[in-house]
Amino acid sequence: MKEKSMKRIIDQYIRAYNNFDSEGMIKDLHRNMIFKNIANGEVTLELKGKIAFKNQIEQAFALFQKREMKILEQKFGDDIVENKVDFKGVLAVDVSDELKKYDLIKLQNKSVFKFKDGKIISIEDIN
């Protein structure tokens, strides 16, 4: 897949993410996509399929009043894009004793998008 096409799809996904738009986020996902969240080398969440991913992201919407993801750097390969990502979000609810409503969360991580048949087949968020 061409770099320009992969970039366009990822940019659209990020815009939808920032706007709490689940339909926009899943628009270019392969129906058999796999999502993994990896923290400290361990998979903390794995979802299979476009519908399971949509259900999860809609649940996650309730956690934030606002959120913003920005791509700081991209590395393109054959059907794969590694993104260094900056995230900021304001909590809408108390999450734990340490993380309370209105707290600002900031982090940087890596998001890896893999493509198949012109669609996103895999997303790995790596902390």
Side-chain angles (χ1 to χ4, degrees), residues 112-126:
V112 180
F113 289 74
K114 295 178 185 171
F115 292 82
K116 179 180 177 183
D117 302 328
K119 300 278 186 183
I120 300 168
I121 189 69
S122 169
I123 300 173
E124 292 183 354
D125 284 343
I126 305 166

Side-chain angles (χ1 to χ4, degrees), residues 7-114:
K7 180 172 178 23
R8 179 189 53 76
I9 289 171
I10 292 170
D11 287 348
Q12 187 278 324
Y13 174 90
I14 298 292
R15 269 191 309 278
Y17 179 94
N18 290 340
N19 291 318
F20 295 85
D21 175 8
S22 61
E23 289 300 322
M25 288 177 70
I26 68 167
K27 177 179 173 264
D28 291 306
L29 297 182
H30 192 282
R31 66 181 178 87
N32 295 321
M33 69 87 61
I34 296 174
F35 171 81
K36 290 183 185 177
N37 188 76
I38 302 167
N40 301 317
E42 293 186 28
V43 176
T44 59
L45 177 66
E46 182 171 354
L47 302 167
K48 295 180 181 179
K50 190 175 182 175
I51 301 305
F53 184 70
K54 181 181 180 191
N55 291 339
Q56 176 63 33
I57 59 179
E58 288 179 346
Q59 289 175 16
F61 287 168
L63 296 176
F64 292 96
Q65 290 182 356
K66 60 181 172 178
R67 64 185 192 176
E68 180 181 31
M69 184 186 312
K70 287 184 184 178
I71 295 174
L72 302 175
E73 181 182 319
Q74 288 183 308
K75 294 180 185 174
F76 292 87
D78 292 336
D79 293 332
I80 187 168
V81 183
E82 291 186 16
N83 303 281
K84 183 178 176 184
V85 175
D86 183 56
F87 171 83
K88 294 177 188 170
V90 176
L91 289 173
V93 296
D94 293 347
V95 176
S96 68
D97 289 339
E98 295 84 31
L99 297 172
K100 301 288 187 186
K101 185 175 182 177
Y102 306 119
D103 282 354
L104 176 64
I105 307 291
K106 292 182 182 181
L107 52 94
Q108 287 188 352
N109 66 355
K110 180 167 75 169
S111 287
V112 180
F113 289 74
K114 295 178 185 171

